[in-house]
Structure formats: structure tokens, C-alpha cells
């Protein structure tokens, strides 16, 4: 439960950081380092690991003060690090020394993280992955290919799910690792998107070596560790802005205000309905965060991701409809990698194109509906013909 004392403690810590490290004057990394040292990166983490040991729901108290003062949104700077890697490392890294060594540079964004999960041959069936990890003394030798890896070209570290026992059923023979993206056995190749950017990548692992100390969880227990990552991924992707009118819907409202010459009653009605949906999602996310006082997010976190992904697409479809013929104008399709200082979202046309990926990345909408149906509503699960079979006997391709 949130207490007044805990809330006051978080607020006092945030105000002190802002007073001593004005985010409008100091470098971003210095500011984020001060937030970590004050326990404000993830307030529910233990003290010394970027937290204060208080309720997860009090994160919004810290974020409100820090961001109202001009501080950055850390998730936007290191999304996989903040949203997925940090909670996984906190729960499953094997020593506090490793946790500290990874978490502080992650929090400052000195080290960007990526996630080596998806594979060309597995599709939405993550447990069907083929990338192998073979034990060699105190190390593991990893071979395979991953795809759709966001920010792999910038990442210093990666979360990896690999197969260590092909004789076990597909969910049982997996083990989870942290991979050094600077290992000579790791090759990253950019994938060009229709926006002109290349934020996704293919990653080839050719005899990449991973110390056993960088294994998260027990051998063969990778699926359980991966659930920590995936539940936090969907919760973080689906989270709305903490203040009313923030997030994607702000783009539509801003466009509407700037172009009174394009207003029609029909479009006004559409915008009103979108704003109401965005506000409902924001309040639902707030309740979810406040309720998650113990442990990590559960399958309910899929609600925010599912609704948010489809809402984002509808918001930018509205923007294109409002712009009319202007919506087809696009400034530059040149393949490029946006720098940290750029607005990676680009103009509205680019945001519209980018939103097409929202219902695929982080779990497709179809997969999320299955999760909600089976694990939240208790509906019968899909028939799975490969249940209990050794992975190596399951047809592939």
C-alpha cells in the first residue's frame, strides 16, 4: 500500500534532485545518474539499485516532479533498458554486484540495451526459437539469427533467449543470458523501414561467447525469465502519459488546433472520441501501476499494450485524414539512423507510417488477445499439437 510517508519521501527526493541537478542546465546523463543515486529510476527497486523500496505506484510521483522541471522521459532514451532489461536484471541477475554494474549505466543511458528474442523461423511462436547455446566450461557458445531487434546497432548489452536442450519440449529447453554486443561473434545488419529509418536490425550470432555468470536464472528455466521481460515489455509499451492529454493524442490535438481551416463536424467528433479513449487508457494504466505493488506486471498488462497500439494507429489515421492531400507529402526516404538529439518520431507522416508496426512489435494484437482470453478471462486455450514433444521433433519451416 502507498503511505503518506512513502509518498512524501519520494517527492522530497525528487525535489532535491531537481534543486541540485537542474535538468535544463546539466547533461542528461548527469541528471539521470542523480536520479538513480536518489532511488528514483525505479522507486520499487531496492535501495542501491536505483530504487527506494517503496510501492511501484509511487513512480508517477517522482516522474511528475522530475519531468515538470524539464527532465527527460528515460524510457524514450533507453526503452528496452528501462522497460524490459531493468526489471529482468533486478529479479534474475545472479549477484548484486552484477545488478549494480548493469543497472546504473543503463539508467544513465550510457549503455543502451536490446532484446534478442524474435527469429525468422519462429514468427509469433517465441518458444519455437532455434538459436543454440552450448556449454563450454565457464562459457556458452551461441549460434543463430535474431530479427526485428530494435536499437541493436547502438546497444552495448542484449537480453538473449536461446535453446540449450533440443531434446526437451520447446518451452523447457530454453535458457536466458545477457550478451555483450561488442563480442566479435555478434554481427548487426540494419533493416530499412518504410519511414526511411533503420531502427530494427538482424543480428547474427556466430560462435559468440557468453560467460556463465551472465546467465539469468537456471539452465532450462529461460521461459520463466522471459515472462518477466515480456510482461514488463507489454506494460511499458502500453503505458500512457502520466498527465491528461499527453502521449500520442497530443499530436492530434496539436494538429487540430493549428489547422482550423480543415475543421469539420465529423472530424471533430472523431477527435473527441479518440481523446476519450486515450484518457480511458491513461486512467486504466494509472490504476494498473498503482495496483502492482508486489512483484512485476501480470498478463493484465497486455490490455494497455493492445489498446495503446490500436489507438496509436487510429490517432495517426485521423491526422492523415485531417491533412487530406498534404498527408501524402513526405520529406525524405533516405536511409538514416536518427541521432539521440533528433526527434526520432519525425513529422506526422513518418509517425503514421511507423505506427503500422505498433500492433506487431512487443507481441502481436492476436497473441495479446489470446493471452487475455486464456489467462485473464479463463477461456479455453488453443489446441497445441506440439505440446510435450521434444523441440527437435517439431516440424519447422
Amino acid at each position: 500500500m502507498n503511505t503518506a510517508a512513502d509518498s512524501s519521501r519520494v517527492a522530497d527526493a525528487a525535489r532535491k534532485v531537481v534543486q541540485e541537478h537542474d535538468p535544463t542546465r546539466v547533461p542528461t546523463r548527469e541528471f539521470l545518474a542523480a536520479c538513480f543515486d536518489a532511488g528514483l529510476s525505479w522507486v520499487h527497486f531496492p535501495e542501491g539499485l536505483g530504487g527506494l523500496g517503496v510501492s511501484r505506484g509511487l513512480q508517477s510521483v517522482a516522474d511528475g516532479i522530475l519531468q515538470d522541471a524539464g527532465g527527460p522521459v528515460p524510457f524514450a532514451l533507453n526503452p528496452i533498458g528501462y522497460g524490459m532489461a531493468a526489471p529482468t536484471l533486478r529479479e534474475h541477475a545472479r549477484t548484486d554486484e552484477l545488478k549494480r554494474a548493469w543497472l546504473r549505466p543503463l539508467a544513465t543511458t550510457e549503455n543502451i540495451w536490446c532484446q534478442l528474442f524474435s527469429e525468422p523461423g519462429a514468427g509469433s511462436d517465441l518458444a519455437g526459437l532455434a538459436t543454440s547455446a552450448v556449454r563450454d566450461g565457464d562459457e556458452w557458445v551461441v549460434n543463430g539469427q535474431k530479427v526485428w531487434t530494435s536499437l541493436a546497432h547502438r546497444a552495448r548489452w542484449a537480453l538473449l533467449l536461446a535453446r540449450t536442450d533440443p531434446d526437451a519440449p520447446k518451452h523447457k529447453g530454453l535458457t536466458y543470458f545477457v550478451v555483450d554486443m561488442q563480442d566479435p561473434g555478434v554481427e548487426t545488419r540494419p533493416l530499412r523501414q518504410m519511414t526511411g529509418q533503420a531502427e530494427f536490425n538482424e543480428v547474427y550470432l556466430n560462435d559468440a561467447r557468453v560467460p556463465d555468470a551472465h546467465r539469468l536464472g537456471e539452465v532450462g528455466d529461460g521461459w520463466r525469465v522471459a515472462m518477466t521481460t515480456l510482461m514488463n515489455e507489454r506494460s511499458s509499451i502500453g503505458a500512457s502519459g502520466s498527465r491528461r492529454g499527453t502521449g500520442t493524442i497530443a499530436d492530434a490535438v496539436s494538429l487540430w488546433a493549428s489547422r482550423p481551416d480543415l475543421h469539420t463536424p465529423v472530424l471533430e467528433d472523431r477527435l473527441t472520441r479518440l481523446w476519450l479513449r486515450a484518457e480511458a487508457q491513461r486512467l486504466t494504466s494509472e490504476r494498473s501501476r498503482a495496483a502492482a505493488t508486489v512483484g512485476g506486471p501480470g498478463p493484465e498488462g497486455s490490455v494497455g499494450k493492445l489498446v495503446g497500439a490500436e489507438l496509436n494507429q487510429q490517432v495517426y489515421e485521423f491526422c492523415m485524414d485531417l491533412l487530406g492531400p498534404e498527408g501524402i507529402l513526405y520529406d525524405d526516404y533516405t536511409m538514416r539512423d536518427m541521432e539521440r538529439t533528433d526527434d526520432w518520431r519525425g513529422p506526422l507522416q513518418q509517425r503514421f507510417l511507423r505506427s503500422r508496426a505498433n500492433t506487431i512489435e512487443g507481441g502481436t494484437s492476436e497473441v495479446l488477445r489470446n493471452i487475455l482470453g486464456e489467462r485473464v478471462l479463463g477461456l479455453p486455450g488453443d489446441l497445441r499439437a506440439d505440446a510435450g514433444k521434444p523441440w527437435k521433433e517439431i516440424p519447422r519451416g
Side-chain angles (χ1 to χ4, degrees):
M1 293 292 292
N2 298 341
T3 67
D6 285 343
S7 181
S8 178
R9 181 185 176 200
V10 171
D12 289 345
R15 283 190 284 265
K16 183 178 180 181
V17 167
V18 169
Q19 182 180 9
E20 297 179 356
H21 304 270
D22 183 348
T24 65
R25 296 178 180 273
V26 304
T28 297
R29 287 184 181 175
E30 179 183 331
F31 178 75
L32 292 175
C35 292
F36 179 89
D37 295 339
L40 302 176
S41 297
W42 309 276
V43 297
H44 58 292
F45 279 25
E47 294 187 41
L49 296 179
L52 293 170
V54 298
S55 165
R56 179 192 301 267
L58 292 176
Q59 187 67 50
S60 60
V61 174
D63 291 346
I65 294 171
L66 298 172
Q67 291 166 26
D68 283 346
V73 178
F75 178 81
L77 300 175
N78 196 1
I80 293 154
Y82 264 85
M84 297 141 230
T88 306
L89 296 171
R90 177 244 177 153
E91 188 168 341
H92 298 288
R94 297 165 68 187
T95 67
D96 284 344
E97 289 73 21
L98 273 175
K99 293 177 184 180
R100 281 191 288 270
W102 279 325
L103 285 173
R104 195 173 192 274
L106 180 161
T108 65
T109 71
E110 176 185 351
N111 287 345
I112 302 299
W113 285 67
C114 67
Q115 181 177 319
L116 300 175
F117 277 25
S118 299
E119 295 190 6
S124 296
D125 182 16
L126 175 60
L129 62 84
T131 294
S132 66
V134 178
R135 188 74 177 258
D136 181 20
D138 291 333
E139 294 183 317
W140 295 80
V141 180
V142 182
N143 285 279
Q145 179 189 357
K146 299 292 183 174
V147 74
W148 311 124
T149 306
S150 300
L151 300 177
H153 57 301
R154 295 186 193 163
R156 176 65 175 81
W157 297 100
L159 304 171
L160 169 72
L161 190 61
R163 188 163 303 283
T164 51
D165 185 0
D167 294 315
K170 64 182 183 181
H171 290 85
K172 301 293 185 182
L174 302 172
T175 304
Y176 202 112
F177 303 93
V178 171
V179 174
D180 184 350
M181 291 296 287
Q182 296 179 356
D183 185 280
V186 178
E187 178 187 359
T188 300
R189 301 180 189 175
L191 291 171
R192 185 180 183 186
Q193 301 155 236
M194 61 182 174
T195 61
Q197 291 179 273
E199 61 181 292
F200 298 122
N201 304 267
E202 295 176 291
V203 177
Y204 292 84
L205 300 143
N206 301 300
D207 291 333
R209 304 190 77 87
V210 180
D212 185 58
H214 289 189
R215 169 171 48 84
L216 303 187
E218 299 300 322
V219 175
D221 197 31
W223 187 254
R224 184 178 67 87
V225 181
M227 287 302 100
T228 302
T229 306
L230 293 175
M231 293 300 102
N232 280 282
E233 176 182 33
R234 288 153 190 172
S235 177
S236 61
I237 291 176
S240 300
S242 59
R243 295 183 298 278
R244 177 179 295 180
T246 59
T248 304
I249 192 62
D251 289 338
V253 173
S254 177
L255 177 63
W256 178 263
S258 69
R259 296 299 301 269
D261 55 309
L262 300 176
H263 291 189
T264 70
V266 172
L267 289 172
E268 184 176 17
D269 180 70
R270 278 180 63 186
L271 178 58
T272 302
R273 291 174 183 272
L274 289 170
W275 193 93
L276 290 171
R277 287 195 64 200
E279 180 65 4
Q281 185 209 4
R282 183 187 73 85
L283 293 173
T284 299
S285 296
E286 286 296 301
R287 286 196 298 270
S288 177
R289 280 193 288 268
T293 57
V294 179
E300 297 82 2
S302 296
V303 173
K305 196 278 177 183
L306 174 63
V307 173
E310 296 183 350
L311 178 62
N312 283 353
Q313 293 179 349
Q314 292 163 8
V315 165
Y316 289 122
E317 286 169 3
F318 165 83
C319 292
M320 295 303 99
D321 289 344
L322 177 62
L323 288 173
E326 294 179 44
I328 65 174
L329 299 177
Y330 199 75
D331 60 340
D332 187 9
Y333 284 101
T334 302
M335 182 171 173
R336 63 198 185 281
D337 174 27
M338 303 297 283
E339 298 298 329
R340 286 171 178 255
T341 54
D342 293 332
D343 182 354
W344 59 272
R345 299 179 304 161
L348 285 171
Q349 290 89 337
Q350 178 177 305
R351 300 178 202 186
F352 165 74
L353 294 175
R354 177 61 179 83
S355 72
R356 309 323 298 169
N358 293 162
T359 49
I360 302 171
E361 60 195 348
T364 67
S365 291
E366 292 78 11
V367 167
L368 297 182
R369 285 187 167 91
N370 275 353
I371 291 172
L372 292 170
E374 295 176 18
R375 300 183 60 188
V376 178
L377 300 179
L379 300 176
D382 285 343
L383 294 176
R384 294 175 171 85
D386 58 8
K389 289 185 178 180
W391 174 83
K392 67 180 182 182
E393 296 180 7
I394 299 173
R396 295 176 53 79

